[in-house]
Amino acid sequence: MRQTRKKLGDLLVEMEVITHDQLNDALKEKERDQKLGDVLVNLGYVTEQQLIEVLEYQLGIPHVSLYNYQIDSSVTNIVPMDIAKRYNLMPLKIDRSKLLVAMTDPMDFFAIEDLRLSTGFQIESVIATKDDVIKAINKYYEIDDSMDELMSEIPERSVSLDEGRITNEDSPVVRLVNQIIQNAVQSRASDIHFDPQETKINIRYRIDGMLRTERTLPKHMQSFLIARVKIMANLNITEKRVPQDGRIQVNLDYRPVDLRVSTLPTVYGEKIVLRILDLGNAMNQIEKLDFNKVNYTRFLKMIDKPSGIVLITGPTGSGKSSTLYASLNKLNREETNIITIEDPVEYRLEGINQIQINPNVGLTFASGLRSILRQDPDVVMVGEIRDSETAEIAVRASLTGHLVLSTLHTNDSIATIARLIDMGVEPFLVASSLSGIVAQRLVRRVCRDCSKQEEPTVREKEIFKKRGMEITRVIRGKGCGNCNMTGYKGRIAVQEVLLIDDHIQKMIMNNAPMKEIRQYAVSSGTLFLIDDGLLKVKKGLTTTEEVLRVSTLE
């Protein structure tokens, strides 16, 4: 297998899947026990599907998609789950003395030999993506087994919560909740919803910004599932009348994952939402935030200033935190004192002093910010400007020589100016303190494995023409097993970066209408959300439908 791996990079370059520079980057990033293919996928240079097609050509071993594959469920009794998980393989079917197995690494002879000895069958292997194999293991080994046990152990009329069932690590309830969380992380979900209904409880995942039902469970299992999640988050399981917030920290496949837990009483019982913060996948480099070249240069200019306020705006779930943390990472140097005040502290950054607000003891954004200014900071990050008091202190902090980074919930960059003035900050203070504003949204990325070129529609041509652009082709995903037939996999950011120059400062001080500021921004080359989105459509990264979903065509 070592010889095969050595040739893999050259083969990918020969087939023009990657460039020599990308191969060299991957070899530099590669750790001792890592496979080159995994590094290339992690860096986004190739997709798993492209890697499999090259391996299929190179090794002469066919590949298979497990999305709609009819797996013989009896084979799970022959291949133990620990072997399947250890070697990343999924048994598919038995044909006389042969066992067909889908593997992510079909040249792993140790796995094949271990499987042959433990089953007594001759092993025939096919290649499958890691995502496919992991989903199949979860479906056929883990969740279904826990479900069957849970259904048999909990009578339909059971109302008592047996402590052992929700605390014992080997109990079906505990295993089922663990698998729901693990499956969500592996599916790249950002949130897990436990939605109680009148006769059932729905488990839903938000993947790439879209909610979909993962499975539906009987109503009588609701109390056990909710109680288990609340115990994991150290919440009061007897209190069901008021909302509660908590946190869960778990390690999945040696990766730290934080879960923010929120409960809410509804007419059908408590609804729980778990926000997944995958610390292993935290984006911490500005270069990876999909900035357009013009916007990237402007944004760096903003955060390189020694003082002033830089605001990241957008609705919940628009990637504001990722942009803030990437900015802090860029500014994090030995000679710089960076202090943050957040609610909650989502990602912990080494070398940065992070404060968690606690209103119960009087530690709010405003009071914490006052104390921070006595700590000789160079850069201050305020998780969110929620009230006029916080806004005023942040403004004054920027005027006394500090760089302040924060977020605000507004629709676009121009509206942010009006919002600050509405919050009671004097226009002359807004003008003299504000360095720049970034409005941001997340759109779904076209799946690279099933993308194909298409002619743009008449409506698309009109939209591009209205924004002064031309379009000759668009890229859309037709749907495949790797993207759950959606045509999209992953998300990218579209941004609007407004640099506050001398002219805009004068307009703010003179209380100019927001319409005039917008007109000046257009004339000075500001790319609005719609423009940045359409440029990314031209590059084949997303679709017009996605851009129009998050921005307005004026």
Side-chain angles (χ1 to χ4, degrees), residues 15 34 46 78 117 119 125 130 195 209 228 239 308 357 420:
M15 297 177 75
Q34 265 188 312
V46 298
I78 297 167
L117 291 172
T119 63
S125 60
K130 188 185 282 187
D195 281 340
R228 173 58 191 165
E239 180 57 79
I357 76 159
L420 286 171

Side-chain angles (χ1 to χ4, degrees), residues 190-428:
S190 59
D191 303 85
I192 307 170
H193 291 241
F194 290 80
D195 281 340
Q197 305 296 314
E198 188 174 4
T199 59
K200 61 190 177 185
I201 177 169
N202 289 331
I203 312 297
R204 298 197 292 169
Y205 293 166
R206 186 178 293 281
I207 299 173
D208 294 337
M210 297 294 180
L211 269 176
R212 66 175 174 83
T213 302
E214 180 65 18
R215 72 178 45 239
T216 299
L217 303 177
K219 183 71 174 177
H220 69 275
M221 293 169 64
Q222 177 178 317
S223 56
F224 291 90
L225 293 172
I226 301 298
R228 173 58 191 165
V229 173
K230 289 174 81 172
I231 279 180
M232 291 174 77
N234 291 319
L235 301 179
N236 184 354
I237 64 169
T238 60
E239 180 57 79
K240 301 176 182 177
R241 300 163 300 172
V242 295
Q244 297 184 68
D245 293 309
R247 193 170 196 141
I248 301 171
Q249 288 186 310
V250 292
N251 271 304
L252 297 176
D253 298 328
Y254 309 107
R255 273 191 316 180
V257 177
D258 265 23
L259 304 163
R260 272 170 34 201
V261 183
S262 171
T263 75
L264 190 70
T266 72
V267 290
Y268 295 126
E270 284 181 286
K271 171 182 168 65
I272 290 189
V273 175
L274 280 67
R275 166 66 60 88
I276 299 171
L277 304 170
D278 189 345
L279 306 182
N281 281 342
M283 277 198 280
N284 55 9
Q285 293 180 340
I286 294 178
E287 295 79 12
K288 294 181 180 178
L289 295 182
D290 312 303
F291 273 104
N292 173 287
K293 283 183 181 178
V294 174
N295 286 343
Y296 178 70
T297 306
R298 289 184 174 190
F299 185 62
L300 287 185
K301 190 176 176 182
M302 287 179 198
I303 63 172
D304 279 343
K305 289 184 177 180
S307 63
I309 296 181
V310 176
L311 292 175
I312 317 292
T313 73
T316 303
S318 57
K320 297 189 298 294
S321 295
S322 293
T323 304
L324 273 182
Y325 282 115
S327 306
L328 291 178
N329 204 47
K330 181 85 173 173
L331 297 166
N332 191 9
R333 295 184 292 269
E334 186 184 351
E335 63 272 18
T336 306
N337 179 21
I338 301 176
I339 306 179
T340 76
I341 181 159
E342 307 169 59
D343 180 28
V345 175
E346 293 186 354
Y347 301 112
R348 288 165 173 78
L349 301 175
E350 192 175 343
I352 291 176
N353 308 286
Q354 294 172 275
I355 302 166
Q356 166 77 55
I357 76 159
N358 186 354
N360 295 330
V361 296
L363 180 56
T364 61
F365 278 121
S367 64
L369 191 48
R370 280 197 197 91
S371 301
I372 285 173
L373 297 178
R374 301 187 199 110
Q375 291 280 319
D376 183 33
D378 298 298
V379 179
V380 177
M381 192 269 266
V382 183
E384 185 184 341
I385 292 177
R386 293 179 181 170
D387 52 50
S388 55
E389 189 181 7
T390 309
E392 191 121 348
I393 300 167
V395 165
R396 297 195 183 279
S398 71
L399 293 173
T400 52
H402 305 93
L403 177 63
V404 180
L405 306 176
S406 191
T407 68
L408 201 61
H409 287 280
T410 57
N411 289 329
D412 58 36
S413 57
I414 309 291
T416 306
I417 298 168
R419 175 83 179 111
L420 286 171
I421 294 169
D422 285 345
M423 289 176 88
V425 183
E426 292 291 339
F428 76 92

Side-chain angles (χ1 to χ4, degrees), residues 74-184:
S74 64
V75 294
T76 57
N77 299 322
I78 297 167
V79 178
M81 182 175 68
D82 64 321
I83 289 181
K85 293 182 83 169
R86 189 189 317 150
Y87 295 119
N88 259 341
L89 57 84
M90 182 68 206
L92 302 179
K93 64 180 180 182
I94 296 168
D95 184 8
R96 297 183 186 142
S97 63
K98 290 182 181 177
L99 175 64
L100 183 66
V101 181
M103 304 177 70
T104 57
D105 183 359
M107 296 298 285
D108 188 341
F109 297 115
F110 291 107
I112 291 171
E113 188 62 16
D114 198 350
L115 206 54
R116 186 183 69 79
L117 291 172
S118 64
T119 63
F121 287 92
Q122 290 299 315
I123 307 302
E124 191 174 311
S125 60
V126 292
I127 312 174
T129 65
K130 188 185 282 187
D131 275 358
D132 262 1
V133 171
I134 289 170
K135 284 176 187 172
I137 290 172
N138 284 339
K139 182 177 179 183
Y140 288 93
Y141 279 101
E142 299 273 16
I143 289 187
D144 285 353
D145 286 352
S146 297
M147 275 283 297
D148 293 340
E149 280 187 56
L150 195 55
M151 301 281 275
S152 62
E153 286 190 20
I154 304 173
E156 280 200 35
R157 298 187 181 277
S158 172
V159 290
S160 62
L161 278 175
D162 179 3
E163 187 179 338
R165 282 189 180 139
I166 54 177
T167 56
N168 186 348
E169 288 297 322
D170 292 324
S171 80
V173 179
V174 172
R175 283 166 45 209
L176 178 59
V177 171
N178 289 347
Q179 276 309 307
I180 288 170
I181 293 171
Q182 186 166 356
N183 205 21

